[in-house]
């Protein structure tokens, strides 16, 4: 019931932070680079937060 797991890699972890996933589109010859932030908050472990682009969600 209180078990928490990362919503990105599904690993059990106590160190979870609410984040917005960010998709990064690299710059290419015909398009500028861009980032798109999703609206859904996910809980991510430290490993995912260190490997994937994201934006920390506001926590209250
Ligand atoms: Zn993870």
């Amino acid at each position: 019931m209180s078990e928490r797991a990362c919503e990105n890699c599904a690993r059990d972890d106590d160190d979870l932070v609410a984040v917005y996933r960010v998709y990064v589109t690299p710059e290419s010859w015909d398009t500028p680079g861009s980032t798109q932030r999703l609206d859904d908050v996910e809980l991510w472990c430290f490993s995912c937060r260190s490997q994937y682009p994201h934006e920390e969600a506001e926590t209250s």
Side-chain angles (χ1 to χ4, degrees), residues 2-41:
S2 64
E3 190 163 325
R4 284 150 60 92
C6 173
E7 293 181 33
N8 191 50
C9 69
R11 175 174 16 213
D12 292 340
D13 202 319
D14 288 330
D15 179 22
L16 297 175
V17 171
V19 303
Y20 297 105
R21 179 187 300 267
V22 175
Y23 287 113
V24 177
T25 303
E27 186 176 358
S28 63
W29 66 272
D30 63 344
T31 54
S34 66
T35 59
Q36 180 184 11
R37 195 198 73 176
L38 301 195
D39 291 331
D40 295 332
V41 174

Side-chain angles (χ1 to χ4, degrees), residues 5-11 13 16 43-49 52:
C6 173
E7 293 181 33
N8 191 50
C9 69
R11 175 174 16 213
D13 202 319
L16 297 175
L43 292 174
W44 281 17
C45 67
F46 178 84
S47 175
C48 289
R49 299 198 310 275
Y52 302 103

